[in-house]
Amino acid sequence: MNVIKTKNIGFCFGVKRAIKMVLKAAEKGERVFTIGPIIHNPQMVELLKEKGITPVDDVYQVKDGTVVFRTHGIRKEEEEYVRKSGLKSIDTTCPFVKRVRKHARNLEKSGYQVVIVGDRNHPEVKSVLSYLDNDGIVLQEPTTFAAKKVGVVSQTTLDKGTFVSIVKELIAGVEELRIFNTICESTQIRQNEAIELSGEVDMMLVVGGKNSSNCTKLYKVVHKVQPNTYHIETVDDLRPEWFTSVSRVGLTGGASTPDLIIDIVEGRVKNF
Ligand code: SF4
């Protein structure tokens, strides 16, 4: 089997930075707790657990040790709890996520109704909302409403097509619209490369956590252009019958997928 990988594959800048920061603390012997998994990749989370980096459901469970503010941000009240309890903290919030937060706050200060285009259940969106003084509006699909001043930001892991279609629909009812495209470049680059590659192969494999918004979106955009696309977490998810009339396979992975998992998948697929 001929396997072609996208150029940008494996951990993004934000994830690499976060892993480095928590490993450094764990190496010093600190007890490190992350609020939820530090990245949406179950295999990597298991590996980190072995090094003393433990995910907990919520910050209020942590009574001592070091709390990690995850790459896609924690809620303001959680941050305040950590400060007030005197717990140590490591802020691995990705600078691109902080940029979303900054734009949203500035828009609010300038009198705009803040709209966040994204998934209202995603930790990043919850985090950005929590740093606003007033209620922000979260849009997941094209909607029109009447308003004077609206300021828009996007969840970093959103696909560009969704963002554009939602913003287009807003124009009709809004007098003044300010838009910040805060989609992370890493996400866009990965999606573009994967779409391009999918036209050159018989099948695409998207490797990454099923709980990763980044990987799920990557799968969706690729599946649109290449229906013969599968989202797998590890080599164990591969099915030999997928490869019966296939000779060229495209391989891509989300920002939270470890290189090692991709390498193992690549090796196995080559042998089919
Ligand atoms: S996907 Fe982008 S925003 Fe998210 S952690 Fe990686 S670099 Fe940061």
Side-chain angles (χ1 to χ4, degrees):
M1 200 68 59
N2 188 358
V3 182
I4 308 166
K5 283 197 290 188
T6 48
K7 205 169 137 215
N8 282 279
I9 194 164
F11 288 163
C12 63
F13 149 79
V15 170
K16 269 189 200 149
R17 176 178 170 269
I19 303 274
K20 218 169 143 184
M21 287 166 87
V22 293
L23 282 175
K24 206 171 152 192
E27 273 160 21
K28 282 189 208 153
E30 292 177 30
R31 293 177 64 223
V32 180
F33 298 95
T34 64
I35 314 309
I38 183 159
I39 57 166
H40 288 132
N41 185 276
Q43 294 73 30
M44 191 66 199
V45 169
E46 283 308 310
L47 253 166
L48 292 174
K49 267 190 205 167
E50 287 167 21
K51 297 192 181 289
I53 299 155
T54 317
V56 290
D57 290 337
D58 68 67
V59 69
Y60 310 108
Q61 283 176 257
V62 186
K63 303 295 174 205
D64 57 19
T66 302
V67 177
V68 178
F69 300 173
R70 66 185 156 235
T71 48
H72 285 169
I74 63 168
R75 284 179 288 118
K76 190 181 174 190
E77 52 271 32
E78 291 174 316
E79 188 177 340
E80 279 166 359
Y81 166 80
V82 172
R83 307 247 181 264
K84 279 184 196 150
S85 343
L87 290 163
K88 277 173 69 180
S89 63
I90 305 170
D91 186 0
T92 73
T93 311
C94 178
F96 298 134
V97 174
K98 285 201 170 160
R99 188 170 60 129
V100 184
R101 207 192 274 172
K102 192 178 121 207
H103 282 312
R105 282 173 62 84
N106 286 345
L107 283 165
E108 183 176 63
K109 275 189 205 142
S110 310
Y112 291 86
Q113 165 63 56
V114 175
V115 167
I116 305 168
V117 180
D119 174 359
R120 62 175 56 86
N121 294 315
H122 193 278
E124 177 187 325
V125 173
K126 286 185 183 171
S127 167
V128 175
L129 283 174
S130 74
Y131 284 88
L132 296 175
D133 293 330
N134 302 307
D135 288 341
I137 296 172
V138 182
L139 292 183
Q140 296 187 248
E141 51 195 37
T143 317
T144 315
F145 61 87
K148 246 188 150 152
K149 288 174 81 174
V150 170
V152 187
V153 292
S154 53
Q155 183 183 327
T156 53
T157 47
L158 198 72
D159 72 279
K160 213 174 175 183
T162 306
F163 185 58
V164 171
S165 64
I166 291 176
V167 166
K168 262 190 192 167
E169 197 70 24
L170 273 179
I171 295 170
V174 174
E175 222 174 284
E176 187 188 331
L177 190 61
R178 257 198 108 188
I179 304 154
F180 286 98
N181 175 1
T182 46
I183 296 175
C184 164
E185 236 179 57
S186 154
T187 306
Q188 278 187 16
I189 292 169
R190 273 157 209 269
Q191 289 178 357
N192 293 345
E193 283 180 2
I195 289 169
E196 208 181 308
L197 179 60
S198 60
E200 299 165 21
V201 294
D202 311 311
M203 180 210 270
M204 281 293 292
L205 289 174
V206 178
V207 188
K210 295 267 169 82
N211 58 345
S212 155
S213 142
N214 190 293
C215 293
T216 311
K217 287 205 185 85
L218 186 60
Y219 165 73
K220 279 188 188 158
V221 295
V222 176
H223 188 262
K224 261 190 202 164
V225 286
Q226 171 55 271
N228 197 18
T229 297
Y230 297 94
H231 180 178
I232 59 164
E233 271 193 1
T234 68
V235 75
D236 297 334
D237 297 332
L238 291 171
R239 296 285 165 268
E241 59 271 24
W242 295 346
F243 299 88
T244 41
S245 47
V246 166
S247 62
R248 283 161 70 84
V249 177
L251 196 59
T252 190
S256 53
T257 311
D259 285 344
L260 183 65
I261 291 183
I262 294 163
D263 292 346
I264 296 171
V265 170
E266 184 185 15
R268 178 73 62 85
V269 174
K270 274 183 177 165
N271 286 326
F272 271 120

